[in-house]
Amino acid sequence: MSFQDENTTPREPTLAERRARQQAERRAREEASARVLEEQAKSKKRKRILIGTGVTVGVVAVIAIGYAIANAGDDVEARCVDENNVVVDDSNCVTPASSTSTYHSGAGFYPIFIGGGGRQYHYNYGGTGNVGQVASGGSTVTPKDSARVKSGTSGKTISRGGLGVSSKSSSSGGSKSSGS
């Protein structure tokens, strides 16, 4: 019926019509509930991804800071010192040691068995002081291989291995210690 006047009372819906309306309403409620649950699941998943990303970024930051701290001491200053720990010119320490039984220092070429053996020069790693002053602090222990060693007086990079002997050429059994 497409037209009904205001005096006519509408008829009661049939049992089939009532059931169809109830089923349609129930389906609409279920769909709305399913959409809400789906949105909650998406939100929970998004939150977990964000938390996981935050944790990952945090762990990477901690690792990066650890590497930065571990590599912070890679630049070491070394000063050439004599047997009294007085800082001397770098040229005294850069003369290579001989692989024979003699000791070659900046003061001359003397066989070790003659006595005196000349002045014994070596590097003081990490200490302070200028030429002519007694070096304070530091150590005679060679720093780790990854460290870059620079002269504290001239600023030049120092070859590794003690008395000017690089670690590559020390395989011949030469003396790298300062002797007696």
Side-chain angles (χ1 to χ4, degrees), residues 2 93 176:
S2 63
C93 286
K176 290 199 303 184

PDB file of all heavy atoms in Angstrom, residues 2 93 176:
ATOM      1  N   SER A   2       0.715   2.073  -0.952  1.00  0.00           N
ATOM      2  CA  SER A   2       1.579   3.225  -1.072  1.00  0.00           C
ATOM      3  C   SER A   2       1.006   4.456  -0.395  1.00  0.00           C
ATOM      4  O   SER A   2       1.735   5.388  -0.114  1.00  0.00           O
ATOM      5  CB  SER A   2       1.865   3.513  -2.548  1.00  0.00           C
ATOM      6  OG  SER A   2       0.655   3.823  -3.195  1.00  0.00           O
ATOM      7  N   CYS A  93     113.487   7.575  19.954  1.00  0.00           N
ATOM      8  CA  CYS A  93     112.726   6.323  20.028  1.00  0.00           C
ATOM      9  C   CYS A  93     112.420   5.728  18.669  1.00  0.00           C
ATOM     10  O   CYS A  93     112.025   4.577  18.585  1.00  0.00           O
ATOM     11  CB  CYS A  93     111.408   6.550  20.776  1.00  0.00           C
ATOM     12  SG  CYS A  93     111.610   6.742  22.550  1.00  0.00           S
ATOM     13  N   LYS A 176     112.844  -6.388  21.821  1.00  0.00           N
ATOM     14  CA  LYS A 176     112.015  -5.208  21.871  1.00  0.00           C
ATOM     15  C   LYS A 176     112.048  -4.620  23.271  1.00  0.00           C
ATOM     16  O   LYS A 176     111.516  -3.550  23.501  1.00  0.00           O
ATOM     17  CB  LYS A 176     110.561  -5.527  21.500  1.00  0.00           C
ATOM     18  CG  LYS A 176     110.399  -5.860  20.059  1.00  0.00           C
ATOM     19  CD  LYS A 176     108.986  -5.728  19.577  1.00  0.00           C
ATOM     20  CE  LYS A 176     107.968  -6.537  20.320  1.00  0.00           C
ATOM     21  NZ  LYS A 176     106.648  -6.464  19.782  1.00  0.00           N
TER      22      LYS A 176
END
